[in-house]
Amino acid sequence: MAEIAGLVLPFFGLIFVGYLTAKFARNPAGEGAGDAMGWLNVFIIYIALPALFFKLVSKTPIEQLTRFDFVFASIGATYTVFALVFSAGYLIRRNSLAESTVQGLAGAYGNIGYMGPGLALLALGERAAVPVALIFCFENVLHFMVAPAMMALAGGEKSSPARLVLGIARKILLHPFILSTIAGVIAASMSFQPPLPVQRLIDYLAQAAAPCALFAMGVTLALRPLKRIPAEIAYIVPAKLILHPVLMYLVLSFVGNFDPVWVQTAVLLAALPTATNVFVIGQQYGVWQERASATILITTVLSVATVTMLLYLISSGALPADLFP
């Protein structure tokens, strides 16, 4: 009887998860049958990807989850690219502070949520899970802090300093990916294993994460036609698709003492196209919206070639895991 319950519970559990999601999660696309895409995004962000992060992190030895040298090195590379692109927009192109901020994010904020986990695990195996989780959590913490802080300096954020700080803290602490990673770290530290039926439910949800996320991303891109190609694309695209992964590789090689798979994972995530969240940030503040959308589309299309080439270099051994052994 217990075995049958273990087989049945995950299926009904999915129905229950859907019910709770509809009750408590706000559908960003509104109500109605035509807004199923909004519910798919809710499923991906609040259910499937968090289940994937928890599953992978909870099975990781706790000492691997405290490699802050890796975190600081990878974030340093990412925000060096942000600073360079921001400076090009602000000092050379004479764009506003707000516009330059969105451009900087377009050059440094890769699609590490939707594309990162599935691609890294498929290409590099489950050993890529921890660096994916660490990069995602700590980079997003900084993104959530940098965007509103820069917009406040630009005058686009009308909240008081206290409300601004509270809003940033809420975004960080309540983000489902970060919450699931924290839960995974706690489970790993306690060597906790969920009951078999619960583990099966987590497995089902985790398996749905990558295909659903990539499908949703394709639909999102299709719904945002290319209307305006910004002149800044001339330096944002090479910064995102070439400079970012190259700099990540050089920095991690220089710091050294990392598992080769961790280095390869960080470089792969750095090579991903601009995140759709950059458009969301632009839309939220009414800055550089159409051009952010164009940047996402162009980097995504071109990344088919650049990411394929990078994976070939990794798989063939042409790209050593440490340039400075």
Side-chain angles (χ1 to χ4, degrees):
M1 187 65 184
E3 184 177 353
I4 295 175
L7 290 173
V8 171
L9 179 60
F11 291 92
F12 285 95
L14 286 172
I15 297 173
F16 185 58
V17 166
Y19 176 84
L20 290 179
T21 301
K23 278 288 185 182
F24 298 110
R26 179 176 177 271
N27 181 359
E31 301 293 334
D35 297 322
M37 189 63 203
W39 287 114
L40 178 59
N41 279 318
V42 168
F43 171 73
I44 294 165
I45 294 170
Y46 286 89
I47 308 297
L49 282 170
L52 177 62
F53 279 117
F54 174 83
K55 173 186 175 181
L56 297 174
V57 174
S58 65
K59 296 180 179 179
T60 302
I62 190 63
E63 62 270 11
Q64 293 187 27
L65 299 173
T66 55
R67 291 296 305 269
F68 293 109
D69 52 346
F70 175 81
V71 170
F72 292 140
S74 61
I75 287 178
T78 295
Y79 268 83
T80 298
V81 175
F82 171 85
L84 291 172
V85 176
F86 173 87
S87 298
Y90 191 67
L91 300 175
I92 299 175
R93 291 285 301 166
R94 301 294 181 181
N95 290 312
S96 68
L97 186 64
E99 290 175 327
S100 300
T101 298
V102 178
Q103 291 168 26
L105 291 171
Y109 194 171
N111 206 320
I112 53 178
Y114 273 21
M115 296 181 67
L119 184 58
L121 294 172
L122 180 64
L124 303 171
E126 289 203 356
R127 287 167 60 199
V130 178
V132 166
L134 289 176
I135 289 173
F136 178 86
C137 286
F138 284 96
E139 276 200 13
N140 271 286
V141 166
L142 269 182
H143 294 324
F144 294 156
M145 293 171 63
V146 167
M150 295 295 286
M151 292 304 174
L153 288 175
E157 177 61 67
K158 304 303 182 184
S159 302
S160 66
R163 293 189 65 179
L164 178 62
V165 171
L166 183 61
I168 292 172
R170 187 183 294 115
K171 285 183 179 180
I172 293 171
L173 296 176
L174 298 182
H175 193 288
F177 295 176
I178 294 175
L179 283 175
S180 61
T181 301
I182 293 172
V185 171
I186 294 172
S189 67
M190 299 173 60
S191 300
F192 170 76
Q193 294 294 328
L196 183 59
V198 176
Q199 185 61 55
R200 283 176 174 162
L201 174 58
I202 292 172
D203 290 342
Y204 290 149
L205 292 171
Q207 290 164 8
C212 288
L214 295 174
F215 172 80
M217 182 181 170
V219 173
T220 302
L221 290 173
L223 295 177
R224 291 197 197 122
L226 187 62
K227 295 180 179 179
R228 183 178 181 184
I229 300 178
E232 293 83 359
I233 206 80
Y235 57 83
I236 292 177
V237 169
K240 183 71 212 71
L241 300 182
I242 299 175
L243 176 61
H244 194 182
V246 168
L247 187 60
M248 183 71 72
Y249 177 60
L250 292 175
V251 169
L252 292 179
S253 294
F254 179 77
V255 175
N257 196 31
F258 298 124
D259 185 318
V261 172
W262 284 44
V263 175
Q264 293 166 351
T265 300
V267 174
L268 178 59
L269 295 186
L272 294 179
T274 302
T276 53
N277 276 355
V278 175
F279 170 78
V280 174
I281 292 170
Q283 190 176 49
Q284 179 182 353
Y285 294 102
V287 176
W288 224 67
Q289 299 170 61
E290 287 185 6
R291 289 170 287 183
S293 180
T295 303
I296 294 165
L297 178 58
I298 292 170
T299 55
T300 300
V301 171
L302 294 179
S303 69
V304 175
T306 56
V307 171
T308 300
M309 178 59 68
L310 175 60
L311 289 174
Y312 171 76
L313 293 175
I314 291 173
S315 62
S316 65
L319 189 69
D322 192 341
L323 191 60
F324 311 113

